[in-house]
Amino acid sequence: MELCENGDVEEFIRNYPTKELPPSDCQNLLFQMAFALHVAGDRFGLKHYDVKLLNFLLKSAKDPNIPDDRHPHVVLRYGVGSHVFRLRMDPSMANVAKLADFGTSVMRTDTDGQPISLGQFTTLENTPADFLILGNAAVQGYGHDSFGLGLCMLHLFTGHAPYEELLHEVVCPDNLRAKLRRIWKHKSHDVIHSVMLDNDDNEVEIEDQTLCDTLYRYLVLFGIPEADKQFDIKKNGKVWRAINSTLLPPKASRSKACPDMDVFRRDRRKYSLVEGTNKRIANARNRLQQMDGAMDLLLSLVSFDPKTRATPLDVINSRFMANLIETDTAIYCDDDIVKSYTAYKI
């Protein structure tokens, strides 16, 4: 195994002087992460099930024989389909991102479309929204990794800490929490309840509330989907109805609004990706909006509906990555170090 001397991506960001990578370097890292997931899935049928920045390791792409103060730029060329993508990096940022930690991964394609099990609940704070909404009706597949990649993208552009640390003060309000706990005890969602149960030293079962807070934080960050985009609500609508009845204004004008609605509005004003005033959220929004297609790509990756979620290949071929495509007029400096990974250029 090759030594990844620069640690993982989360550690790299934490040790970066400003703890905020330049947008172009966020783009380069996201490209490499998407490429790794695409190759793993396409070549080996691999579904990772724990995609986060901690599980992408960094190996220096520099020549160890050249002193840092005289090291040229490094160009990584990736061939995908009919395009070659060109990532030109300053020596201080010249790294190759490698997907790691395969303890939860699955390479069996016969599991695709099968109901989810406890094995797909890894980092609870990153559990895909569809798992929490559909319960036992949610299915295994590559959508879990795409959702995780979206959270990675958000982490890259916020810097400093994963989203759940930035939103540590945001917790699921009481009425929604009570409804979710009741629903998740039903047979239709008992896989979630099994994940929530924990034992203390006295072997007394305690419900871990992480998943309640996780779903609520997604709603705060990304908003409640419009009624026509609340997927599978006719067949599996228990959680959707709990969300709508506690966080949205009542349909009947004479009905009393749930107190959770005010909490939700307050949290959205501060932490919504679209309009939140929190300094780091607002900064991430500005950085995303400055790059063509970045915000659209992020929202596609974290779509609550796995059927509409962008895939790693969609990320590579997105508008956000278009400026990385190598053209006939691409200019290289004579001393650039060029490394090519073109196995997928057909």
Side-chain angles (χ1 to χ4, degrees):
M1 178 178 177
E2 291 182 284
L3 176 65
C4 290
E5 63 271 26
N6 288 342
D8 59 70
V9 178
E10 182 172 327
E11 179 184 7
F12 186 76
I13 293 174
R14 188 165 56 245
N15 293 333
Y16 192 73
T18 63
K19 300 191 186 327
E20 186 177 280
L21 303 184
S24 60
D25 292 305
C26 293
Q27 180 188 38
N28 287 340
L29 282 169
L30 184 68
F31 180 94
Q32 293 188 67
M33 293 155 64
F35 182 82
L37 286 169
H38 171 60
V39 172
D42 188 55
R43 278 287 177 91
F44 308 108
L46 184 140
K47 295 173 285 293
H48 190 277
Y49 289 124
D50 198 16
V51 172
K52 55 186 178 183
L53 295 191
L54 280 169
N55 287 337
F56 284 94
L57 304 183
L58 292 175
K59 177 176 174 57
S60 175
K62 295 189 296 184
D63 185 333
N65 297 313
I66 303 176
D68 286 348
D69 60 349
R70 292 192 285 114
H71 202 286
H73 280 66
V74 176
V75 177
L76 304 182
R77 301 173 70 248
Y78 291 84
V80 185
S82 59
H83 295 304
V84 171
F85 295 83
R86 177 175 177 267
L87 285 58
R88 190 169 187 264
M89 303 175 176
D90 182 272
S92 65
M93 302 297 292
N95 290 295
V96 178
K98 294 176 175 285
L99 182 63
D101 194 353
F102 300 99
T104 60
S105 64
V106 175
M107 296 177 66
R108 292 170 47 206
T109 57
D110 61 340
T111 62
D112 295 353
Q114 295 298 310
I116 59 171
S117 67
L118 294 178
Q120 284 75 61
F121 288 82
T122 48
T123 301
L124 297 188
E125 293 85 353
N126 292 355
T127 302
D130 50 303
F131 283 22
L132 303 176
I133 293 169
L134 301 182
N136 298 9
V139 298
Q140 299 179 46
Y142 296 98
H144 190 301
D145 291 349
S146 290
F147 194 87
L149 188 61
L151 296 180
C152 286
M153 185 177 181
L154 179 63
H155 189 169
L156 285 171
F157 278 87
T158 55
H160 298 279
Y163 85 93
E164 75 276 3
E165 293 183 22
L166 293 180
L167 274 66
H168 71 277
E169 68 177 17
V170 175
V171 296
C172 187
D174 293 341
N175 292 283
L176 177 58
R177 184 185 301 274
K179 289 192 175 188
L180 290 176
R181 290 178 63 201
R182 286 197 296 271
I183 293 169
W184 289 345
K185 289 179 181 178
H186 292 173
K187 186 177 181 180
S188 61
H189 289 72
D190 59 10
V191 66
I192 300 177
H193 191 241
S194 296
V195 174
M196 293 175 67
L197 290 181
D198 196 4
N199 294 327
D200 65 10
D201 294 337
N202 297 318
E203 297 186 355
V204 176
E205 287 188 341
I206 300 174
E207 281 189 355
D208 185 328
Q209 300 300 304
T210 301
L211 293 181
C212 292
D213 293 339
T214 294
L215 178 57
Y216 180 67
R217 286 168 178 165
Y218 293 155
L219 297 168
V220 169
L221 265 173
F222 307 123
I224 300 173
E226 298 293 332
D228 61 345
K229 294 183 180 179
Q230 294 184 359
F231 64 98
D232 282 6
I233 190 170
K234 292 183 178 179
K235 291 183 178 180
N236 303 283
K238 294 176 183 177
V239 172
W240 283 125
R241 288 189 287 272
I243 292 168
N244 295 338
S245 64
T246 55
L247 304 184
L248 294 179
K251 292 183 178 180
S253 59
R254 296 181 180 179
S255 299
K256 187 177 180 180
C258 178
D260 290 7
M261 187 179 72
D262 290 333
V263 178
F264 181 61
R265 285 177 172 174
R266 181 198 67 202
D267 290 336
R268 286 276 290 167
R269 282 195 295 270
K270 191 170 183 180
Y271 290 107
S272 162
L273 186 60
V274 173
E275 60 185 6
T277 58
N278 173 268
K279 181 179 178 180
R280 292 176 182 171
I281 293 293
N283 186 49
R285 176 172 63 249
N286 291 335
R287 281 154 53 84
L288 286 162
Q289 291 173 340
Q290 290 171 10
M291 301 190 74
D292 186 31
M295 183 66 81
D296 288 343
L297 176 60
L298 172 56
L299 294 177
S300 178
L301 283 166
V302 296
S303 170
F304 285 15
D305 185 352
K307 294 178 182 177
T308 64
R309 207 170 283 160
T311 67
L313 185 58
D314 291 334
V315 174
I316 292 169
N317 290 321
S318 67
R319 192 168 84 251
F320 176 58
M321 299 295 182
N323 67 309
L324 299 179
I325 296 175
E326 187 174 79
T327 64
D328 293 338
T329 59
I331 299 174
Y332 291 89
C333 294
D334 290 340
D335 58 353
D336 279 353
I337 294 176
V338 181
K339 300 184 179 184
S340 294
Y341 308 91
T342 56
Y344 274 76
K345 188 177 187 302
I346 299 173

